[in-house]
Amino acid sequence: MNAIRHDFRSDTVTQPSAGMRAAMAKAEVGDDVFGDDPTVNLLEQRMAGMLGKDAALFVPSGTMSNLLALMSHCGRGDEFIAGQKAHLYVNEAGGAAVLGSIQPQPIAHQADGTMALAEIEAAIKPDDNHYARTRVICLENTFGGRVIPVDYMAAVSAIADRHALGLHLDGARAFNASLALGMDIRDFTAPFDTVSICLSKGLGAPVGSVLIGRHDLIATARRHRKMLGGGLRQSGILAAAGLYAIEHNVHRLADDHRRARQLAEGLSRHEALSVSMPDTNILWVNAAADIADRFDAYLEANGIAVTGRYGQQRWVTHLDVGDDDVAGALALVDRFFDKA
């Protein structure tokens, strides 16, 4: 790849700010496996309190957080329900099956990113020893940057309650979703038994996610974290970055949402580009078939970095993308079409 001038690949590419680095440098630490790292303990208490849940667990990654949630809800041979394109089904290397012996039951997504309620309920297995036992339904919000409606989450929660199932939220970008809806994160996550929130995406920390939920589920997750090699020692240095992130970088997510809309509006001026209007900080772009390869090559040659998924370009705004980056990228795209 040529030198990157405008990096829209993901909100995971952010660099720790000077303030975050200072917080990490002065963090008070202990041995978290013994439970005596005060900064980790504070982060876990703070996150549990923000969501109104019993407890929380700091882990190295969102992938581990989701896996720990599934392993806490399910035993060997049990089953989880998730969307066909859900991150914990598609993008986590089959960890639930490989490491947890947990069977996925994927459900097709509708055009708005939800799963049909009737299809979720129909996929729940009866109490019959021919079948894996359904234990938990998993939702993702945001989903590809799209905010899944609160009423829909409540309807899925009602299904889970009727069938005595757990409910897990892959809320890697839950703060993006709750901010876009104008909701407190506590109210937004209220229906869920477990919630995974990533600190190293829009919130800008270099490492880490937090799993939040019921005491019994988090206690089980803590045991499994050790089993999976996620028991860190003086991890308060990393937790300090997470504390800084939730104290300073939540409300500024609105800037990322605004810049994503500016990008979408600017790109959609070109008829050859089909652009989704973003709910949050992620937009999807389809280039017409006759220019797609040239457009991809032009962006790379001019230092505009994006990712490709499902045959589309994915553009992501984040705290290291400023107004000048948006304006610069749009000017370069305009130049491409002026010459086309």
Side-chain angles (χ1 to χ4, degrees), residues 8 11 256-257 259-260 263 280-281 315-319 321 326:
F8 298 98
D11 45 9
D256 299 341
H257 300 176
R259 291 181 178 120
L263 266 176
T280 57
N281 68 320
W315 297 58
V316 185
T317 54
H318 49 79
L319 62 81
V321 164
V326 172

Side-chain angles (χ1 to χ4, degrees), residues 50 70 79 96 100 117 131 141 166 172 188 219 224 259 289 296 321:
M50 289 178 75
L70 292 175
E79 174 183 271
L117 297 174
Y131 303 116
N141 205 353
F188 179 76
H224 286 140
R259 291 181 178 120
D296 287 344
V321 164

Side-chain angles (χ1 to χ4, degrees), residues 3-339:
I4 295 174
R5 297 165 58 189
H6 309 293
D7 197 343
F8 298 98
R9 289 175 297 169
S10 176
D11 45 9
T12 62
V13 303
T14 57
Q15 298 289 311
S17 66
M20 183 177 286
R21 289 176 185 270
M24 296 170 73
K26 67 181 183 182
E28 186 180 358
V29 299
D31 189 322
D32 182 48
V33 174
F34 289 135
D36 60 13
D37 188 302
T39 309
V40 173
N41 293 342
L42 180 59
L43 174 63
E44 292 175 346
Q45 292 162 10
R46 190 76 56 82
M47 290 294 288
M50 289 178 75
L51 272 65
K53 306 294 186 188
D54 296 336
L57 180 66
F58 180 53
V59 300
S61 71
T63 294
M64 181 178 284
S65 186
N66 280 329
L67 176 59
L68 291 173
L70 292 175
M71 293 176 70
S72 297
H73 285 281
C74 301
R76 290 170 59 87
D78 288 342
E79 174 183 271
F80 71 94
I81 291 174
Q84 183 79 44
K85 294 182 179 178
H87 193 281
L88 54 70
Y89 175 63
V90 176
N91 297 113
E92 297 182 3
V98 175
L99 302 173
S101 296
I102 303 165
Q103 172 173 288
Q105 173 58 71
I107 305 293
H109 290 282
Q110 301 182 105
D112 64 355
T114 64
M115 300 172 281
L117 297 174
E119 292 184 16
I120 292 174
E121 195 143 23
I124 298 169
K125 304 298 186 291
D127 185 10
D128 183 316
N129 61 13
H130 291 87
Y131 303 116
R133 295 175 297 183
T134 308
R135 292 299 195 192
V136 62
I137 303 171
C138 302
L139 298 181
E140 184 175 334
N141 205 353
T142 64
F143 176 74
R146 182 185 293 117
V147 177
I148 302 301
V150 173
D151 289 348
Y152 173 79
M153 296 196 301
V156 177
S157 176
I159 292 173
D161 288 345
R162 278 200 301 275
H163 295 273
L165 302 179
L167 189 64
H168 172 64
L169 176 65
D170 178 357
R173 297 181 177 88
F175 281 109
N176 291 85
S178 63
L179 188 71
L181 292 169
M183 292 184 68
D184 186 270
I185 192 69
R186 176 189 294 246
D187 298 327
F188 179 76
T189 58
F192 296 91
D193 300 295
T194 50
V195 180
S196 174
I197 292 183
C198 190
L199 302 170
S200 63
K201 291 189 169 70
L203 298 182
V207 173
S209 287
V210 182
L211 181 65
I212 310 103
R214 289 201 329 250
H215 270 306
D216 58 321
L217 294 169
I218 299 303
T220 302
R222 191 175 294 276
R223 170 175 282 275
H224 286 140
R225 183 187 71 169
K226 178 65 176 175
M227 187 187 305
L228 294 172
L232 304 176
R233 299 297 180 174
Q234 287 72 38
S235 49
I237 294 170
L238 301 175
L243 281 167
Y244 185 94
I246 61 174
E247 289 167 1
H248 294 87
N249 292 344
V250 171
H251 292 294
R252 63 143 308 281
L253 292 171
D255 294 332
D256 299 341
H257 300 176
R258 172 179 58 81
R259 291 181 178 120
R261 288 191 294 272
Q262 290 173 342
L263 266 176
E265 289 165 359
L267 292 170
S268 64
R269 291 195 299 261
H270 304 287
E271 292 184 1
L273 300 179
S274 174
V275 185
S276 64
M277 191 55 62
D279 290 343
T280 57
N281 68 320
I282 299 175
L283 61 144
W284 300 87
V285 178
N286 284 298
D290 60 330
I291 67 157
D293 290 342
R294 286 191 296 116
F295 187 54
D296 287 344
Y298 174 85
L299 294 181
E300 181 175 351
N302 285 275
I304 301 176
V306 299
T307 54
R309 290 190 180 182
Y310 312 119
Q312 300 173 294
Q313 290 178 348
R314 190 184 77 154
W315 297 58
V316 185
T317 54
H318 49 79
L319 62 81
D320 286 352
V321 164
D323 292 332
D324 289 345
D325 292 292
V326 172
L330 290 175
L332 286 165
V333 171
D334 289 345
R335 190 178 306 165
F336 172 84
F337 285 101
D338 288 343
K339 294 179 179 179

